[in-house]
């Protein structure tokens, strides 16, 4: 025991002299989490991070068998599901964790919005978060096509058509994404490159910035808690909060295992570009509120095509979301203000209602 301790002590000091472990330890010990009635929301970012790591590890495993071409993609996944040991499980976890990650990401975003954690000096933490949201949606959009099945093929056709309708840059962006005028094997190869190289590289960089800023500024206090005289106390991050985080992660893993085992990811029929689109083409649930909104718009608004007005609207909506820390001047000055709380609630209600309509009122148009 004694010898083991000194050996580990020796390894520690060897590493410390070379990489500065003691500094890292000091940093970890310094981190404290305020305890108050909204502390539960501090777990959501860590949960999203955990699910992102599940995506990276299962994604690497999928890469061992996946082949990114129109001729082989579908067959390689069929082989993975039927022949490779636990292949179906890895694919199902990748698919479920993607959905769960986007869900926790939205909950994290809205909790941060309603608790006004974007106040100075955390504006850049917010900006990097909105960037991560964009990347997560990009992961979802590009990953959906990779099995090269019928549903994904036609959903991508619709999705890239919408991209193509964006004023000015649309036609170029649409062709760049598709690798031509149609969704073909070239699109699949591009989406694959974006999904496994470009987005992961961008996500790691942006996530690094996000986590560095969280570490630098510490956890924010909601204005309401601040006005009531501050938190009840402070909890050390290591080990108290981290252990609680880990309980959450293990629970998420258990939920993932149950979902993947009982509702494994489906594959459907192989894409056939020569067939017409089957009924009920739907995007992933997190695009549904936008998809449904576009359906409800009249064909022309003030002489402009309704769909284009909708797309411009979503673009401006995204810009508005990004700029909230700059636009909410009252909160930045430390004055109480309800406007952005109501805007946040309105966005949540709008997203829920239109997603619901997307699944229930699909025959309207
Ligand atoms: C892949 C996506 C993301 C990951 C992995 C992530 C991770 C984290 C983590 C671990 C924290 C510290 C714990 C916590 O407050 O929950 C955090 C804090 C924060 N995040 Fe995120 N985040 C992501 C996306 C976002 C998004 C979409 C936004 C908003 C647009 C955002 C804004 C913030 C802000 C403002 C804080 C500081 C909270 C505070 O100080 O109280 N993040 N994030």
């Amino acid at each position: 025991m004694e010898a083991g301790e000194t050996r580990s002590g020796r390894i520690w000091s060897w590493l410390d002299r070379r990489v500065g472990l003691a500094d890292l330890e000091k940093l970890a010990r310094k981190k404290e989490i305020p305890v108050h009635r909204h502390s539960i929301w501090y777990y959501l970012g860590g949960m999203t991070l955990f699910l992102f790591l599940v995506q990276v590890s299962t994604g690497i495993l999928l890469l061992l068998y996946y082949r990114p071409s129109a001729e082989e993609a579908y067959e390689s996944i069929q082989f993975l599901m039927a022949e490779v040991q636990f292949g179906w499980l890895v694919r199902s976890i990748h698919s479920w964790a993607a959905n769960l990650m986007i869900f926790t990401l939205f909950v994290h975003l809205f909790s941060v919005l309603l608790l006004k954690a974007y106040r100075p000096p955390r504006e850049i933490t917010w900006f990097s978060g909105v960037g991560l949201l964009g990347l997560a949606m990009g992961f979802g959009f590009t990953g959906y096509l990779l099995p090269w099945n019928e549903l994904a093929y036609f959903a991508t056709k619709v999705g890239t058509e919408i991209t193509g309708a964006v004023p000015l840059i649309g036609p170029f962006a649409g062709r760049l994404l598709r690798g031509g005028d149609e969704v073909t094997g070239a699109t699949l190869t591009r989406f694959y490159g974006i999904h496994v190289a470009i987005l992961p590289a961008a996500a790691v960089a942006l996530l690094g910035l996000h986590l560095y800023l969280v570490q630098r500024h510490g956890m924010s206090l909601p204005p309401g808690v601040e006005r009531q005289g501050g938190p009840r106390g402070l909890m050390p991050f290591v080990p108290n909060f981290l252990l609680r985080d880990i309980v959450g992660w293990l629970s998420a893993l258990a939920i993932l295992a149950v979902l993947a085992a009982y509702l494994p990811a489906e594959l459907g029929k192989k894409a056939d570009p020569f067939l017409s689109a089957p009924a009920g083409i739907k995007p992933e649930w997190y695009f549904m509120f936008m998809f449904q909104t576009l359906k409800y718009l009249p064909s022309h608004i003030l002489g402009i095509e309704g769909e284009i007005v909708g797309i411009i609207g979503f673009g401006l909506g995204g810009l508005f979301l990004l700029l909230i820390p700059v636009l909410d001047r009252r909160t930045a000055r430390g004055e109480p203000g309800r406007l952005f709380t109501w805007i946040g609630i309105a966005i949540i209600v709008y997203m829920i209602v239109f997603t619901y309509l997307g699944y229930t009122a699909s025959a309207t148009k």
Side-chain angles (χ1 to χ4, degrees):
M1 191 71 196
E2 186 68 42
E5 268 173 16
T6 44
R7 194 177 312 131
S8 58
R10 275 210 305 277
I11 295 175
W12 173 272
S13 40
W14 189 91
L15 279 173
D16 183 32
R17 259 179 274 128
R18 282 153 187 88
V19 294
L21 281 186
D23 294 344
L24 291 179
E25 191 195 8
K26 221 186 293 163
L27 210 66
R29 297 225 172 270
K30 218 179 70 186
K31 190 173 168 68
E32 288 175 321
I33 308 295
V35 182
H36 50 78
R37 63 177 193 281
H38 300 300
S39 291
I40 181 112
W41 302 111
Y42 293 142
Y43 291 100
L44 265 301
M47 181 66 90
T48 311
L49 181 61
F50 169 72
L51 291 167
F52 178 74
L53 296 178
V54 169
Q55 285 311 87
V56 173
S57 33
T58 49
I60 291 173
L61 290 177
L62 291 176
L63 274 185
L64 301 180
Y65 288 93
Y66 181 73
R67 290 161 189 260
S69 75
E71 292 73 36
E72 290 185 301
Y74 181 85
E75 287 76 6
S76 69
I77 299 227
Q78 232 173 7
F79 177 78
L80 177 93
M81 299 286 282
E83 306 288 336
V84 179
Q85 277 199 2
F86 298 111
W88 66 273
L89 185 63
V90 173
R91 174 167 178 246
S92 300
I93 291 186
H94 195 74
S95 152
W96 275 113
N99 285 299
L100 229 60
M101 185 188 107
I102 297 210
F103 179 74
T104 58
L105 180 61
F106 274 121
V107 180
H108 176 54
L109 184 155
F110 285 116
S111 62
V112 162
L113 174 62
L114 295 180
L115 295 176
K116 304 198 189 286
Y118 53 78
R119 285 181 297 155
R122 293 183 180 75
E123 298 96 322
I124 299 180
T125 320
W126 174 270
F127 298 155
S128 59
V130 173
L132 285 166
L133 173 71
L135 294 182
M137 292 182 114
F139 269 117
F141 184 59
T142 51
Y144 198 45
L145 180 68
L146 298 187
W148 200 244
N149 55 17
E150 210 176 35
L151 271 182
Y153 176 83
F154 286 103
T156 305
K157 225 170 133 89
V158 176
T160 47
E161 260 159 29
I162 294 176
T163 314
V166 174
L168 299 176
I169 55 160
F172 171 73
R175 273 183 62 84
L176 185 71
L177 270 182
R178 286 182 166 185
D181 291 324
E182 295 295 327
V183 175
T184 61
T187 321
L188 177 66
T189 312
R190 286 189 184 202
F191 273 35
Y192 172 74
I194 297 172
H195 192 79
V196 307
I198 297 177
L199 291 176
V204 166
L206 216 50
L207 199 54
L209 173 66
H210 196 69
L211 297 180
Y212 163 73
L213 292 174
V214 168
Q215 178 61 34
R216 181 172 170 81
H217 296 302
M219 301 316 300
S220 75
L221 266 188
V225 174
E226 225 168 47
R227 278 195 292 276
Q228 285 161 13
R232 286 200 295 274
L234 293 170
M235 181 188 284
F237 179 73
V238 181
N240 306 48
F241 191 80
L242 187 60
L243 286 173
R244 286 168 169 78
D245 255 342
I246 293 174
V247 172
W249 300 344
L250 291 177
S251 313
L253 209 55
I255 294 172
L256 274 179
V258 170
L259 288 170
Y262 287 100
L263 298 166
E266 289 175 4
L267 187 53
K269 279 195 259 167
K270 182 170 174 171
D272 183 349
F274 296 110
L275 292 183
S276 51
I281 287 297
K282 282 189 178 12
E284 296 266 63
W285 62 268
Y286 39 86
F287 292 118
M288 188 54 108
F289 71 98
M290 294 190 267
F291 187 67
Q292 193 62 18
T293 309
L294 292 182
K295 271 192 183 177
Y296 282 141
L297 291 176
S299 66
H300 283 86
I301 301 171
L302 301 174
I304 307 173
E305 218 179 293
E307 189 170 272
I308 294 183
V309 174
I311 293 168
I312 296 174
F314 287 123
L316 292 177
L319 190 65
F320 175 79
L321 186 74
L322 178 73
L323 294 180
I324 283 179
V326 185
L327 298 173
D328 188 359
R329 298 313 309 157
R330 284 184 75 98
T331 300
R333 284 196 299 268
E335 296 164 15
R338 293 226 140 251
L339 178 62
F340 281 78
T341 308
W342 285 115
I343 291 177
I345 293 171
I347 299 174
I348 297 173
V349 171
Y350 160 65
M351 285 174 67
I352 293 177
V353 169
F354 275 71
T355 304
Y356 174 78
L357 289 173
Y359 284 100
T360 53
S362 51
T364 49
K365 206 174 169 188

